[in-house]
Amino acid sequence: MDKNKVMLKLRKICIVLIIAWMICVFLFSNQNGTGSSGLSLKVAKLLFNSDDVALKMEGFIRKAAHMTEYAIGAILFYGYCLTYPKMQPKKRIIFSELCVALYAVTDELHQLFIPGRNGNLIDVLIDSAGGLIGIGIIWLTAILINGMEFKAKEDIARGKK
């Protein structure tokens, strides 16, 4: 199979994963205020094993969940960009972050119509920061992998395995 066909297949897989991610975000955002808080509180209780601490940490857990879901989105968008090998890394970053930020805006607009929820500019910023964290994870991973590859090449050149 030639490289273009492989890239096209990978691109299609990335699009499916991005759509699945968007649906998941939409479904989480479609919960009313009570359901959303209840889910965050359950997670907090699992993590801290204390009702008092869980109540205090529920808001933090909710914002961390936002950041995590948008970090995942940025990673998926960046993966999509990788199926265009000629795209410059800077453009990959801008495209990925722009897509995440735009989806965060639509997510907050959607929440305006959900009982007990509200659209919030701060949440758009938190979601966008999550996107930047996802991109940072990609870059750190690439640096680590490239460092390992370089070390392996050096070892091979020296006759070590």
Side-chain angles (χ1 to χ4, degrees), residues 15-150:
I15 290 169
V16 168
L17 292 173
I18 288 168
I19 291 169
W21 168 79
M22 292 173 117
I23 290 169
C24 286
V25 171
F26 179 87
L27 292 174
F28 278 124
S29 293
N30 212 39
Q31 295 177 325
N32 63 29
T34 306
S36 179
S37 291
L39 182 60
S40 299
L41 191 56
K42 282 181 188 176
V43 171
K45 285 180 180 181
L46 282 172
L47 290 174
F48 299 107
N49 202 22
S50 162
D51 289 350
D52 291 337
V53 176
L55 282 170
K56 291 176 186 173
M57 296 302 292
E58 183 266 332
F60 174 78
I61 296 294
R62 184 188 303 224
K63 298 309 176 190
H66 271 260
M67 291 182 94
T68 301
E69 67 187 359
Y70 281 87
I72 291 167
I75 290 168
L76 293 173
F77 279 111
Y78 197 90
Y80 172 79
C81 291
L82 288 174
T83 66
Y84 293 93
K86 292 182 182 179
M87 185 184 278
Q88 297 297 315
K90 188 175 182 178
K91 287 185 180 179
R92 290 180 191 142
I93 293 169
I94 292 168
F95 177 83
S96 301
E97 184 60 22
L98 187 61
C99 288
V100 164
L102 288 173
Y103 196 68
V105 169
T106 65
D107 182 44
E108 293 304 314
L109 290 173
H110 167 229
Q111 288 181 36
L112 290 173
F113 300 98
I114 306 300
R117 302 291 293 266
N118 57 2
N120 191 333
L121 180 61
I122 296 296
D123 281 348
V124 171
L125 297 174
I126 289 169
D127 297 342
S128 298
L132 290 174
I133 289 169
I135 291 167
I137 289 168
I138 289 169
W139 277 85
L140 287 173
T141 302
I143 289 167
L144 289 171
I145 289 170
N146 286 334
M148 284 186 260
E149 286 177 2
F150 182 75

